[in-house]
Amino acid sequence: MNRTSKKVEKANELVKELYANITLPDGSSYLDYVTSVFQISRSENEKIVTLLMGTLEYNLLTPKDILFQFGMTVRDAVIAVSRFSDLSDDEYNNKVKNNPIARAVKIAEFKHLLNINKISQEDFDRAILFFIN
C-alpha cells in the first residue's frame, strides 16, 4: 500500500488475521477478494470499509468493535454494505444506496467483478445506474 493512513494500515493488518481462513464458494480467498476491491476504492473511508465489509457478515467483529476502532462513519457504512439474511434484495440495495461510502464500495466491488468477468458490462451498467440515481 502506498501512502496510506494509519487507520487504513490498521484495518489491513486486522483483516489479514480475521480473513486468513475464509474462502469464497469458488474456493478463492476472501482476503484476496477484498484486497482487489480495495485497490479500486478511492477515499480513506472507502478503503477501510472495503477491507471491513465482511467482518459483520462472518461474525468476526461487532458494530461496537468497528465504532471504537474506526469511528461512526465507517461503522455505519460497514453496516450498510453488510448483507444479512433477513433483508430482501430491494431492502439491501436501498440500504447500500442510501449510504454514500457503502455505495462507493459497492460500485468498486462491481468494477472488480466486471474486471474478472463475473458480471457483464450490461449488468455493471444497470447496477451503476441504480446506485447513482
Side-chain angles (χ1 to χ4, degrees):
M1 290 186 294
N2 309 350
R3 298 171 32 122
T4 56
S5 75
K6 290 187 189 298
K7 281 188 176 184
V8 172
E9 290 174 8
K10 179 180 177 180
N12 191 46
E13 291 305 312
L14 179 64
V15 299
K16 282 180 184 177
E17 180 181 327
L18 293 175
Y19 296 153
N21 298 315
I22 297 179
T23 56
L24 296 170
D26 67 2
S28 62
S29 162
Y30 186 68
L31 179 60
D32 290 346
Y33 179 81
V34 295
T35 301
S36 295
V37 178
F38 169 90
Q39 298 300 327
I40 298 168
S41 299
R42 298 177 306 173
S43 75
E44 175 182 283
N45 282 340
E46 289 171 23
K47 289 180 179 295
I48 294 168
V49 171
T50 297
L51 291 169
L52 299 177
M53 69 182 176
T55 58
L56 298 180
E57 291 176 52
Y58 289 112
N59 295 312
L60 303 170
L61 294 175
T62 67
K64 193 179 211 178
D65 296 328
I66 296 169
L67 174 65
F68 288 142
Q69 293 184 55
F70 300 100
M72 186 173 14
T73 301
V74 168
R75 185 221 37 210
D76 291 350
V78 172
I79 289 170
V81 80
S82 297
R83 186 172 194 103
F84 301 107
S85 59
D86 64 333
L87 291 177
S88 70
D89 289 344
D90 286 341
E91 290 171 320
Y92 172 72
N93 288 332
N94 285 317
K95 183 175 72 150
V96 170
K97 185 177 182 173
N98 290 322
N99 183 292
I101 297 169
R103 183 175 55 238
V105 168
K106 194 51 118 172
I107 289 170
E109 187 174 10
F110 280 118
K111 285 180 185 176
H112 170 66
L113 293 172
L114 178 65
N115 291 343
I116 62 170
N117 299 315
K118 294 272 184 169
I119 63 171
S120 68
Q121 183 68 50
E122 182 181 323
D123 289 340
F124 174 78
D125 293 343
R126 186 174 29 255
I128 297 304
L129 283 175
F130 171 79
F131 284 112
I132 63 172
N133 287 321

